[in-house]
Amino acid sequence: MLISVIIPAHNEERYIGKCLKSIKIAAREISDEVEIIVVANRCTDRTADIARRYGVEVLENSDKCISSIRNAGVRASNGRVIVTIDADSVMHKTALAEIKELLRSGKYIGGGAIPMFDRMSLSIAISGAYVALNLLPTMIKSGGFISATMFWFSRKAFDKIGGFDESLVSLEDADFARRLKALGERYGKKYGTLKNGVVLTSSRKFDEFGDWYLIKNHKLTKRIFTGKDRQAADEFYYDVR
């Protein structure tokens, strides 16, 4: 079985090496072939060069929509099983083995993982609670908590739900999780969360702008959580200086 790992990356030269190294380590825990695709989105740094040194496929992309960036990576891949992970995150060494086991059981449509920041503070914890509060309507609509980090799913499931919604410039992950879970319910399958495969993700937004950034800029944060505010998404994600 071929597993494809998709990594959207915009100017990630500080993090992409750690991400790729973690995937290579996780791949050693399984006998299956692992295909890794880095979607280099408008990169002006060494992200693509570093990725190529790791021997992975690099797909150049110029979109300013994370959904279309993710979809481009999936469509360029060949695996029956797809895993997505952000370039500033580190995969747990048992993640691919656990994903393989869960999908082969036939009980799961796919799922996500629990994120953990590489650094924590009281203000970051409060910010996390604030984000969860903003996501509460989505969770209620989905019937409870859904993990929306490092997705894993079959190509068939991806095709059935139409991939990531390209009308969304943010919050595409929560939307994808909700629709994937709903698809599973139609077929009597569960949406899973990895038990051991915690994803370590960078706290770079807080490092760059301060641990209270999301709270102090609550108006921008709320606009981000509409999913369709292009100006807010550009300010927060695509045109950060």
Side-chain angles (χ1 to χ4, degrees):
M1 179 173 65
L2 175 63
I3 299 175
S4 296
V5 181
I6 312 301
I7 311 166
H10 171 65
N11 288 346
E12 299 283 8
E13 64 180 10
R14 289 178 56 192
Y15 301 97
I16 190 64
K18 291 180 181 179
C19 180
L20 292 172
K21 183 177 180 180
S22 72
I23 296 167
K24 297 270 189 179
I25 291 172
R28 295 173 193 159
E29 301 294 316
I30 59 176
S31 58
D32 305 84
E33 182 181 354
V34 177
E35 171 189 59
I36 304 173
I37 298 178
V38 173
V39 187
N41 175 250
R42 301 178 301 118
C43 292
T44 57
D45 66 356
R46 298 183 303 120
T47 297
D49 292 338
I50 294 171
R52 291 189 180 98
R53 286 208 298 268
Y54 275 84
V56 306
E57 181 178 348
V58 175
L59 175 66
E60 301 284 352
N61 179 280
S62 60
D63 297 331
K64 286 179 69 176
C65 173
I66 186 61
S67 294
S68 60
I69 296 166
R70 294 188 194 279
N71 285 341
V74 175
R75 289 168 184 150
S77 68
N78 300 292
R80 287 171 49 199
V81 171
I82 311 294
V83 181
T84 69
I85 185 171
D86 291 340
D88 66 335
S89 297
V90 172
M91 180 183 289
H92 192 277
K93 68 177 183 179
T94 65
L96 294 180
E98 188 175 354
I99 289 168
K100 176 181 173 181
E101 180 182 355
L102 292 176
L103 287 177
R104 280 194 169 177
S105 74
K107 298 177 181 179
Y108 294 87
I109 193 68
I114 300 295
M116 180 180 296
F117 283 118
D118 58 8
R119 153 177 100 74
M120 184 53 67
S121 69
L122 176 61
S123 46
I124 291 178
I126 293 173
S127 296
Y130 177 70
V131 169
L133 184 63
N134 277 274
L135 284 173
L136 189 59
T138 300
M139 288 189 284
I140 292 173
K141 189 175 181 179
S142 303
F145 170 79
I146 44 175
S147 51
T149 302
M150 200 183 77
F151 293 110
W152 44 278
F153 46 87
S154 68
R155 182 172 297 277
K156 286 184 178 180
F158 177 86
D159 290 339
K160 282 182 181 294
I161 65 174
F164 291 88
D165 185 348
E166 296 187 13
S167 73
L168 298 174
V169 292
S170 60
L171 220 66
E172 85 296 336
D173 47 1
D175 171 78
F176 183 86
R178 178 183 60 79
R179 291 186 290 116
L180 184 61
K181 182 180 179 182
L183 178 68
E185 290 171 350
R186 282 171 48 193
Y187 292 95
K189 295 187 177 184
K190 296 183 286 186
Y191 181 97
T193 299
L194 301 185
K195 293 181 179 179
N196 300 314
V198 173
V199 176
L200 187 67
T201 190
S202 78
S203 55
R204 63 180 178 184
K205 285 288 185 184
F206 299 108
D207 295 339
E208 291 175 12
F209 303 115
D211 289 3
W212 291 103
Y213 177 75
L214 295 179
I215 304 296
K216 287 181 177 179
N217 295 275
H218 61 93
K219 290 183 179 179
L220 174 63
T221 304
K222 285 186 177 296
R223 289 167 59 201
I224 288 293
F225 280 98
T226 67
K228 297 193 175 186
D229 191 319
R230 163 57 68 185
Q231 184 178 359
D234 283 349
E235 184 176 344
F236 193 75
Y237 296 113
Y238 305 115
D239 289 329
V240 177
R241 295 291 181 267

